[in-house]
């Protein structure tokens, strides 16, 4: 796993740690929405590819959220 | 053009809403109750002679020139200290008054040098004016009596002199130092005839005293006693232009006083709504960098960073940028390049850079230096309140009863606003400081924090949750406010969350290293002490939980009803002059102007239509992401305007690798900054003195920047961006920055009413400025939140991954110092270096003792990211286990040690927490030596080399 | 049986050997096996008789003075009580004309009681004033002080009751009573005598003031030159606290603050600045201390004598006090005779005596025996009166009408050897030395005035320089921020106007002098 992917996993898990404790709405949707809105396509592509390759290190809800991401067009 | 003359009303304006009518010299005058007779007379156009009175400080009544007679009252009261009363009949000119005034002037002049013709204040001296006004023709005492004419001149301050022989002991300087600046550095020493103004204790001069060189004393001085050295050297200015300071986010208005193209001095502008005539050492004096010999005035290019620079024409340089960027996009794809806007530059310039990236580069790879400072503010406040900005104007602090300062060091970083805050604190407002370090405001003359919570770096969210816990569990919530203005479910969820035991002060106290009683006390004070105002800075945002902490602050304010009125609010203190503006202008990769997401079709379409370009709906790279992508090889070209990312971004070695991996780095700056060492094209920038535009300060105030001199580099920064865009085939037809603002107004609902015409008329306005608020919005969220209902967020404390351990047992936190600004590019090139020549490491005596470190020793500072060396300063300002430094000097490069950990929401770097080890050292580290060598090598300029 | 012998502990008596006399009395009595009880009292104020000791006899007290330690064995020759036949015996003190002619209200107890005995204080009518105040209520007490016609004894003569009423009518969370005991006028000592001789009187007066205006805290600002007074006051406050006469129970306490030697701190606003720990520098008025005084709170700041007169006014009723005096000057004034005077001392009398009566009859003329040439009334800033004006009655308005002032009641006598030009110069020099330096007329004018007066004394362009001094005095009078500069013209101009011959004399060269 490259350093970049490690970093993406860490960042995604960090996002998860904020949204999981929220008591309004669906945390998985919130995580996915955040990734969609703030991550550039190559970052999203990177994390999607990482999930496809097993998604090592991704926390449960984050994993689920990455699974819901649309594959970026670029 | 002429000199902007401001009226001195003699005494401050009364705040009373009641009015009083009186008669002065036969003229009926109606003024606010509590106004002095002097000011009332001025309102009626009657100038009462005065020397010790000036409207920036309270009346003092010492010069005895402003005496008047009042019908039915005995004696000759001073008009400055006597308030008006209804029906009062005042005479300002009677035979008796004439005699007394002449008598007083005769005394003054009997102890004053008679060198008017060669005096620096000649033509701008109140003593001279008054001698004329009272008709003094003779000094019958002679000049052989006791006098002060031989007193020595104190020239220790680099910017101004104190010539005691010219002093009339009016105390205006002393009072300005106390009342306006709040430093209390000056005093009157001795009594009677021996009274003299003195800086600090006996034997101190201005430089060695507590003086912070804010210039308030110089401003207040009616004679040449306190004079700017530049004025003494150049002479009296003949015209002036009102503009806005380009240093911190306070956004002070200044009069740039000129002789022709030469700047004589910068004088704080009384009408400036952010600073009301006050200034700090940076804005007032530290503008010499504009003419510094290291300033680059010609464009330069090179093929590789190994080569020396070659000076070229603007055309060649611009063409090189365009052709390289096009080449890189052709080879690596549309997303392979991007740009960085600067919080130092104007709104208009920033807007153009993001427009160039979005419209010209065809992607959204644009970011701004706010990424690394206040991006969590934008996200946090937008989520909770609905607007990515602070809630108050600066004046609001005058009505605060409890002030909470968290993760901010206003007396160093926002000195002019700090002076306002200090004034309010001296008047009795309570103070809570939450900071790992004992910052100056914790204890200053006549100020002492009621609570200082010296928390362990990285535990903001925990502490704020504990404050909330106290407020909720002790029944201190403003139920009525929450019921009316906030989302009920969100509140209930939040209240039950903060009430959980892990958020109790007793539990959090252990984690944060703060006494639970102090946490509870602070919470009670904030919740019940009247108007509670929160002021915060990068000590809140620059953490892995920066955004969480901003939300936690918003939660506290909502729960206690401290929003939507004067004296309250959640107020980010912005580091740079235009952080707010850069964010407003669509500098973030995911949003267009006015904080609208790029994926919003309606917004995007509007921009596409006006710009005539298709826009990408996908968010672009943020600065740290750009570095990662560069190292990964997918990001190849970067246009950086006015920001030194190499020195200011964390983990310098990582940034170096990223820059080195790019094929075309374009730096636009005043100086060959550290980033330029890795650049291929250098475009010389213009200073704020050389261009028109606007800055938006921390209170959302849009201030005009006005050109006072021709750009020395030949082009204003906005014109450079236009040229690049044009070379890339994207025409932007503007002939003046006002047209850029017109476009911003057209495209941005919160700016709809903004125009240069309006700014010229009003001085400044605070956005939102539109049909609903044609003159702007000083206080946000009155009668309801911008987003509808206030949104409480759960702010669970998640410790950072940056942990101390046996190898790195100490926590490093970073900050700023008064005399230096940011990476120091400007201030290091001024005489401000006399106060701060280098960055030092503050370390607690206990930690120093353990390591055998003495005060002033060289020490090595190592983290997991890297190491540097600097001098140690032993102080108990920091707690044991915590060390502190500033990041102003590239020789030290504090960011060599900081890590890439960042805020979960915005990737704002975690500058404030780095696990480090400190050990004795012999001098600069190997890395520092290599870096210095590389920098020297990289800064070579071929033409100069040849010429030499 | 033990015989009580009274020896003053007043600084004026101690200065001339009262302590040595007391020690001698004790050792001599011991040697003779006589049983005496020494009581250290305040002074009666007959300074030419100090140390004046009194011995208790069945027929009342008998006084001896001035007594030295050497005289003591002789005093005991007839055993106890000491013999009235002794040449130093001056008889019953009350019969001494200097005392007999007085109307002692404020000083009724001074010199009689043990200043640190609350029992003594009570036995001589102490705390009757406070009791009556309580029965009248706060507003009634203020009213009583208004009706008494009492005016500020510090010198300004502002009606005390009106000051109190202003403070009483101002709402605030905290109010203060400040006693101005920074008695700096030359030739004055009335404040000191009360502090050393009857300190509970001041405590009672301040307590009444606190009750009347709603203040819970009092300060006594005592000049540092009064170490005895500071000690006695401090002890008296402790005793009063111990008896619950000060403190939480009565919701009033008192603290002593000691000055640092600045005359100008006797000016009320500088005193307040000094009390706050700042430079003793004059504040501009308004705001009045009654509205914004100590620490910005409504403050009664009164001269010590004003406060010490209040208990008697309350105890015996406003009318009793107001019936004394003349014109708008009601009640009594402690006149303090000093300088070149035969009978120096404190003389409390109703307003209305003429200056001539005071100096010639009561004071007995000069101590040197030479003719009286000039009298300075009201301290160093008071006017010099020539004999021609000795018909001036002691009354605020009468003195003002003659460009003089009553001030704090100090009367300093000069004989015909005085050089009035030097006195005028001294007034300006005094102003220069004591100026706080805030306002320009006083700060620079006092120095220029001294220099100009030197020129006059040297005989340089006398007419022009006298005109300049006259102009300067106008500037000082109307331009100064406080009375220091504002009143300096009184001694200067009175000297010039009443003794012009001293300003036009051909001068000897300095070397010849």
């Amino acid at each position: 796993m490259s350093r970049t992917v490690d970093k993406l996993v860490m960042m995604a898990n960090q996002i998860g740690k904020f949204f999981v404790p929220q008591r309004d709405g669906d945390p998985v949707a919130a995580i996915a929405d955040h990734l969609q809105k703030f991550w550039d396509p190559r970052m999203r592509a990177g994390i999607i590819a990482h999930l496809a390759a097993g998604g090592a290190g991704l926390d449960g809800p984050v994993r689920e959220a990455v699974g819901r991401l649309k594959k970026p067009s670029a | 053009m002429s000199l902007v003359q401001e009226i001195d009303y003699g005494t401050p304006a009364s705040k009373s809403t009641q009015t009083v009518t009186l008669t002065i010299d036969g003229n009926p005058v109606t003024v606010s109750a509590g106004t002095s007779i002097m000011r009332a007379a001025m309102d009626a156009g009657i100038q009462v002679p005065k020397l010790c009175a000036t409207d920036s400080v309270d009346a003092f009544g010492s010069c005895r020139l402003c005496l008047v007679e009042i019908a039915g009252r005995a004696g000759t009261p001073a008009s400055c200290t006597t308030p008006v009363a209804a029906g009062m009949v005042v005479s300002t000119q009677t035979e008796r008054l004439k005699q007394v005034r002449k008598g007083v002037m005769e005394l003054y002049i009997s102890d004053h040098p008679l060198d008017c013709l060669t005096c620096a204040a000649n033509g701008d001296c109140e003593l001279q004016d008054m001698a004329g006004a009272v008709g003094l023709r003779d000094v019958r005492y002679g000049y052989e009596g006791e006098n002060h004419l031989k007193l020595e001149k104190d020239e220790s301050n680099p910017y101004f002199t104190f010539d005691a022989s010219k002093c009339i002991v009016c105390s205006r300087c002393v009072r300005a130092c106390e009342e306006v600046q709040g430093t209390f550095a000056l005093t009157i020493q001795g009594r009677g005839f021996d009274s003299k103004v003195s800086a600090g204790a006996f034997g101190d001069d201005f430089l060695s005293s507590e003086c912070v060189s804010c210039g308030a004393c110089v401003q207040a001085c009616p004679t040449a006693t306190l004079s700017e050295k530049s004025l003494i050297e150049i002479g009296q200015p003949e015209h002036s232009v009102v503009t806005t300071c380009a240093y911190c986010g306070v956004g002070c208005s200044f009069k740039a006083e000129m002789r022709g193209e030469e700047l004589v001095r910068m004088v704080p502008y009384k009408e400036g709504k952010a600073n009301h005539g006050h200034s700090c050492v940076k804005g007032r004096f530290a503008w010499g960098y504009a003419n510094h010999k290291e300033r680059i005035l010609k464009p330069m290019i090179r093929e590789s960073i190994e080569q020396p620079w070659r000076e070229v024409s603007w055309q060649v340089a611009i063409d090189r940028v365009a052709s390289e960027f096009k080449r890189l996009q052709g080879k690596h794809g549309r997303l392979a390049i991007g740009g960085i806007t600067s919080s130092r530059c104007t709104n208009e310039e920033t807007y153009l850079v993001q427009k160039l990236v979005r419209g010209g580069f065809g992607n959204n790879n644009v970011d701004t230096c706010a990424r690394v400072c206040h991006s969590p503010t934008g996200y946090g406040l937008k989520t909770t309140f609905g607007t990515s900005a602070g809630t108050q104007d600066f004046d609001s602090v005058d009505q605060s009863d409890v002030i909470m300062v968290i993760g901010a060091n206003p007396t160093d970083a926002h000195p002019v606003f700090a002076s306002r805050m200090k004034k309010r604190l001296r008047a009795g407002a309570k103070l809570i400081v939450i900071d790992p370090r004992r910052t100056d405001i914790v204890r200053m003359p006549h100020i002492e924090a009621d609570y200082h919570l010296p928390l362990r770096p990285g535990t903001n969210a925990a502490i704020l949750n504990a404050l909330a816990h106290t407020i909720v569990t002790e029944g201190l919530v403003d139920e009525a406010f929450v019921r009316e203005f906030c989302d009920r479910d969100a509140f209930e969820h939040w209240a039950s969350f903060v009430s959980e035991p892990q958020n109790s002060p007793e539990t959090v106290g252990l984690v944060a290293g703060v006494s639970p009683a102090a946490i509870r006390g602070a919470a009670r004070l904030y919740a019940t002490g009247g108007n509670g105002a929160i002021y915060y800075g990068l000590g809140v945002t620059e953490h892995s939980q920066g955004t969480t902490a901003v939300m936690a602050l918003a939660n506290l304010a909502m729960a206690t009803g401290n929003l939507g009125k004067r004296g309250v609010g959640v107020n980010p203190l912005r580091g740079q002059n235009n952080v707010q503006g850069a964010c407003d202008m669509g500098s973030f990769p995911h949003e267009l102007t006015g904080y609208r997401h790029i994926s919003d079709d309606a917004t995007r379409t509007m921009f596409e239509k006006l710009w005539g370009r298709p826009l990408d709906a996908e968010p672009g790279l943020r600065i740290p992401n750009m570095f990662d992508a560069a190292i990964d090889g997918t990001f190849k070209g970067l246009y950086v305007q006015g920001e030194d990312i190499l020195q200011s971004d964390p983990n310098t070695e990582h940034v170096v690798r990223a820059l080195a991996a790019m094929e075309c780095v374009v730096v636009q700056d005043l100086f060959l900054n550290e980033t330029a060492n890795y650049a291929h094209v250098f475009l010389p920038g213009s200073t704020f003195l050389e261009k028109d535009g606007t800055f938006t300060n921390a209170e959302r105030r849009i201030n005009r920047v006005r050109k006072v001199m021709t750009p020395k580099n030949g082009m204003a920064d906005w014109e450079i961006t236009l040229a690049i865009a044009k070379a890339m085939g994207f025409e932007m037809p503007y002939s003046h920055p006002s047209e850029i603002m017109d476009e911003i107004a057209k495209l941005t609902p919160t700016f709809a009413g903004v125009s240069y015409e309006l700014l010229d008329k009003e001085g400044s306005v605070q956005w939102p400025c539109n049909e609903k608020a044609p003159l702007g919005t000083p206080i946000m969220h009155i009668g309801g939140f911008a987003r509808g209902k206030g949104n409480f967020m759960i702010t669970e404390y998640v410790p950072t991954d940056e942990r101390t351990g046996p190898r790195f047992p100490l926590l490093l936190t970073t900050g700023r110092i008064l005399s230096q600004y940011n990476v120091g590019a400007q201030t290091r090139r001024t005489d401000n270096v006399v106060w701060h020549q280098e960055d030092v490491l503050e370390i607690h005596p206990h930690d120093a003792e353990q390591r055998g470190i003495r005060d002033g020793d060289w020490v090595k500072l190592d983290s997991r990211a890297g190491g540097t060396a600097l001098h140690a300063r032993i102080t108990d300002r920091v707690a044991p286990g915590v060390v502190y430094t500033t990041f102003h000097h590239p020789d030290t490069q504090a960011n060599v040690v900081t890590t890439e950990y960042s805020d979960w929401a915005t990737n704002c770097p975690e500058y404030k927490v780095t696990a480090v080890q400190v050990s004795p050292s012999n001098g600069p580290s190997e890395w520092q030596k290599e870096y210095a060598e590389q920098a020297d090598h990289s800064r070579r300029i071929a033409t100069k080399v040849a010429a030499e | 049986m033990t015989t009580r012998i009274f020896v003053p502990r007043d600084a004026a008596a101690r200065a001339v050997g009262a302590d040595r006399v007391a020690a001698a009395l004790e050792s001599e009595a011991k040697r003779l096996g006589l049983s005496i009880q020494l009581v250290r009292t305040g002074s009666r104020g007959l300074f030419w008789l100090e140390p004046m000791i009194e011995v208790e006899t069945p027929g009342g007290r008998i006084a001896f003075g001035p007594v030295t330690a050497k005289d003591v064995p002789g005093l005991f020759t007839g055993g106890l009580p000491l013999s009235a036949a002794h040449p130093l015996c001056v008889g019953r003190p009350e019969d001494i004309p200097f005392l007999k002619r007085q109307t002692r209200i404020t000083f009724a107890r001074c010199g009689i009681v043990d200043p640190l005995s609350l029992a003594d204080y009570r036995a001589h009518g102490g705390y009757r004033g406070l009791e009556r105040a309580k029965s009248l209520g706060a507003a009634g007490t203020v009213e009583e002080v208004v009706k008494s016609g009492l005016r500020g004894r510090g010198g300004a003569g502002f009606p005390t009751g009106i000051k109190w009423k202003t403070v009483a009518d101002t709402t605030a969370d905290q109010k203060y009573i400040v006693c101005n005991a920074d008695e700096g006028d030359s030739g004055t000592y009335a404040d000191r005598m009360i502090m050393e001789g009857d300190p509970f009187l001041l405590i009672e007066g301040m307590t009444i003031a606190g009750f009347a205006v709603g203040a819970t805290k009092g300060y006594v600002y005592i000049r540092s030159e009064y170490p005895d007074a500071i000690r006695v006051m401090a002890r008296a406050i402790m005793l009063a606290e111990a008896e619950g006469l000060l403190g939480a129970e009565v919701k009033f306490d008192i603290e002593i603050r000691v000055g640092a030697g600045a005359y100008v701190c006797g000016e009320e606003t500088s005193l307040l600045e000094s009390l706050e720990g700042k430079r003793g520098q004059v504040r501009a008025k308004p705001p009045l201390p009654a509205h914004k005084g100590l620490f910005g709170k409504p403050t009664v700041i009164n001269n010590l004598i004003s406060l010490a007169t209040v208990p008697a006014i309350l105890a015996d009723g406003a009318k009793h006090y107001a019936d004394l005096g003349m014109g708008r000057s009601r009640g009594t004034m402690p006149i303090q005779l000093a300088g070149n005077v035969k009978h120096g001392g404190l003389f409390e009398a109703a307003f209305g005596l003429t200056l001539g009566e005071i100096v010639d009859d009561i004071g007995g003329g000069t101590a040197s025996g030479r003719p009286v040439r000039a009298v300075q009334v009201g301290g160093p800033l008071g006017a010099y009166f020539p004999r021609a004006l000795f018909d001036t009655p002691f009354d605020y308005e009468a003195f003002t009408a003659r460009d003089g002032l009553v001030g704090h009641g100090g009367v300093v006598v000069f004989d015909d050897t005085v050089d009035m030009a030097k006195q005028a110069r001294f007034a300006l020099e005094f102003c220069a030395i004591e100026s706080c330096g805030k306002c320009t007329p006083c700060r620079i004018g006092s120095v220029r005035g001294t220099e100009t007066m030197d020129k006059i004394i040297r005989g340089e362009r006398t007419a022009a320089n006298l005109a300049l001094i006259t102009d300067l005095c106008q500037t000082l009078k109307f331009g100064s921020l406080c009375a220091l500069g504002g009143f300096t013209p009184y001694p200067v101009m009175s000297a010039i106007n009443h003794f012009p011959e001293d300003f036009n004399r051909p001068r000897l060269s300095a070397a010849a002098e």
Side-chain angles (χ1 to χ4, degrees), chain A residues 2-5 7 10-11 14-15 17-19 21-24 34-44 71-74, chain B residues 335 365 379 493 496-497 500 544 551 590 597 618-622 625 628 632 634 654 793-794 796 798 900-902 904-905 907:
Chain A
S2 80
R3 194 168 171 276
T4 312
V5 172
K7 210 160 158 183
M10 192 195 77
M11 282 160 52
Q14 254 186 306
I15 294 164
K17 284 191 182 108
F18 176 79
F19 286 108
Q22 299 303 322
R23 299 174 190 189
D24 286 319
H34 188 89
L35 294 172
Q36 192 71 45
K37 277 190 170 150
F38 295 95
W39 282 27
D40 131 287
R42 79 197 82 178
M43 293 164 71
R44 271 181 283 136
K71 200 170 166 67
S73 48
Chain B
L335 303 184
N365 292 332
Y379 189 103
H493 290 150
S496 88
F497 159 73
E500 288 167 6
S544 62
M551 290 173 175
H590 66 279
H597 202 273
E618 290 281 6
L621 292 168
R622 298 171 290 194
N625 310 147
D628 292 340
D632 274 2
T634 63
H654 178 69
M793 298 297 290
I794 306 285
E796 190 164 284
V798 180
E900 286 161 68
Y901 289 116
S902 67
W904 65 267
N907 276 159

Side-chain angles (χ1 to χ4, degrees), chain B residues 684-702:
Chain B
S686 46
T687 71
F688 76 111
L689 297 167
E690 298 165 0
K691 57 197 180 191
D692 277 299
T694 55
F695 292 151
T696 306
N697 76 354
E699 43 165 9
R700 294 170 278 104
R701 184 180 302 286
I702 306 161

Side-chain angles (χ1 to χ4, degrees), chain B residues 9-16 32-36 39 55-58:
Chain B
Y9 289 88
T11 63
S14 160
K15 289 194 177 116
S16 173
S32 315
T35 302
S36 68
R39 192 175 175 109
D55 56 14
S56 61
V57 291
D58 287 341

Side-chain angles (χ1 to χ4, degrees), chain B residues 787-805:
Chain B
R787 74 180 293 281
K789 291 284 185 187
N791 188 21
F792 283 87
M793 298 297 290
I794 306 285
T795 53
E796 190 164 284
Y797 168 59
V798 180
T800 171
D801 289 326
E802 177 72 1
R803 304 280 163 83
T804 53

Side-chain angles (χ1 to χ4, degrees), chain B residues 753-806:
Chain B
V754 181
S755 68
Y756 278 28
E757 200 187 345
L758 180 74
L759 295 174
D760 288 342
K761 192 164 137 256
E762 294 299 319
S764 60
V765 292
Q766 288 170 274
W767 67 258
C769 173
N770 46 31
E771 240 173 50
K772 264 168 71 187
L775 295 180
T777 312
I779 308 286
M780 299 282 297
H781 316 301
I782 296 176
F785 286 97
R787 74 180 293 281
K789 291 284 185 187
N791 188 21
F792 283 87
M793 298 297 290
I794 306 285
T795 53
E796 190 164 284
Y797 168 59
V798 180
T800 171
D801 289 326
E802 177 72 1
R803 304 280 163 83
T804 53

